[in-house]
Amino acid sequence: MKLDGRTALVTGAAKRVGRTIALELAGRGMNLVVHYHSSRDAALDTVADIRRRGVGAGAVRGEVRLPKTAHAAVQAALKAFGRLAALVNNAAVYPRTPFDRLTPKDWDDVLASNLRGPFLFAHAAAKVMIRQGFGKIINIADWAGVRPYRNYLPYCVSKAGVIALTKGLAKELAPTVTVNAVAPGPVLLPETDSPAARRAVIRATPLHRIGAPADIARAVIFLLESDFITGALLPVDGGRLIA
């Protein structure tokens, strides 16, 4: 798909990886709808940066776990730009949840944000894309959805669900809409990580370095521009899945 002049909706696009994805898409000529939850100032800064690239942009606030948020974001894209070519489901939470302190509420909160949210946005966007006759959905999964690690059980399960959601949606929405996923590895480690923890991650990564948000954004662009890929999981993990 040619990106120039098209419109994309990116969830969780105010900061970090989501912001980088939005800015990279804007650099390719796409108009953007920036979804955010609580980071209003950061979202408005992202919108301003996108507009400085010569394309249109707007921001929509809301919790990803609510159907009304997905509906409002999709409708904002249609109202502002007429069509919606791409959805990037990036928004997610990453709480540390040691098993001995894990509660049902912890479980529900993580699954609601990380799995229910992408489903709701995909469901709302797909209806529009099918009517248009084209569209692309990219889900941001995680290598931990394939190889879970300790102390983050709900997160790992939610990302495994995102991978299954991707494959299922690819079947449901073919041939009109392609659906793929990117599985990041160590990119933008938590600010609370100690230097020792950071060194341990680097040692465990075959490429012996931490990735950058731009690595994820370039993978998203590749999948958006490709018209014969659907149901795929693209690891961008420095080799963690083969370690």
Side-chain angles (χ1 to χ4, degrees), residues 184-207:
V187 173
L188 284 182
L189 297 182
E191 295 176 359
T192 56
D193 277 9
S194 67
R198 183 181 178 89
R199 288 193 295 271
V201 170
I202 291 173
R203 285 196 303 270
T205 303
L207 293 187

Side-chain angles (χ1 to χ4, degrees), residues 58-175:
V60 175
R61 179 188 179 279
E63 290 192 10
V64 291
R65 64 182 68 188
L66 299 178
K68 66 180 182 181
T69 302
H71 177 77
V74 169
Q75 291 305 308
L78 296 179
K79 182 177 180 180
F81 306 113
R83 290 190 171 190
L84 177 62
L87 165 67
V88 181
N89 273 316
N90 166 77
V93 296
Y94 185 66
R96 189 174 185 273
T97 51
F99 190 76
D100 60 351
R101 300 198 297 271
L102 179 61
T103 68
K105 184 179 184 302
D106 294 332
W107 179 273
D108 290 345
D109 285 346
V110 174
L111 270 290
S113 293
N114 292 5
L115 183 54
R116 174 180 166 89
F119 161 72
L120 292 174
F121 271 79
H123 192 254
K127 293 178 181 178
V128 171
M129 293 173 176
I130 289 170
R131 288 200 302 268
Q132 294 172 166
F134 70 94
K136 293 179 179 290
I137 297 173
I138 308 295
N139 295 320
I140 304 301
D142 194 292
W143 76 283
V146 180
R147 289 181 58 187
Y149 42 78
R150 297 186 67 179
N151 295 321
Y152 290 87
L153 180 61
Y155 176 81
C156 295
V157 171
S158 73
K159 291 302 185 176
V162 168
I163 295 169
L165 177 67
T166 299
K167 296 177 183 296
L169 285 173
K171 284 191 174 183
E172 295 285 351
L173 302 179

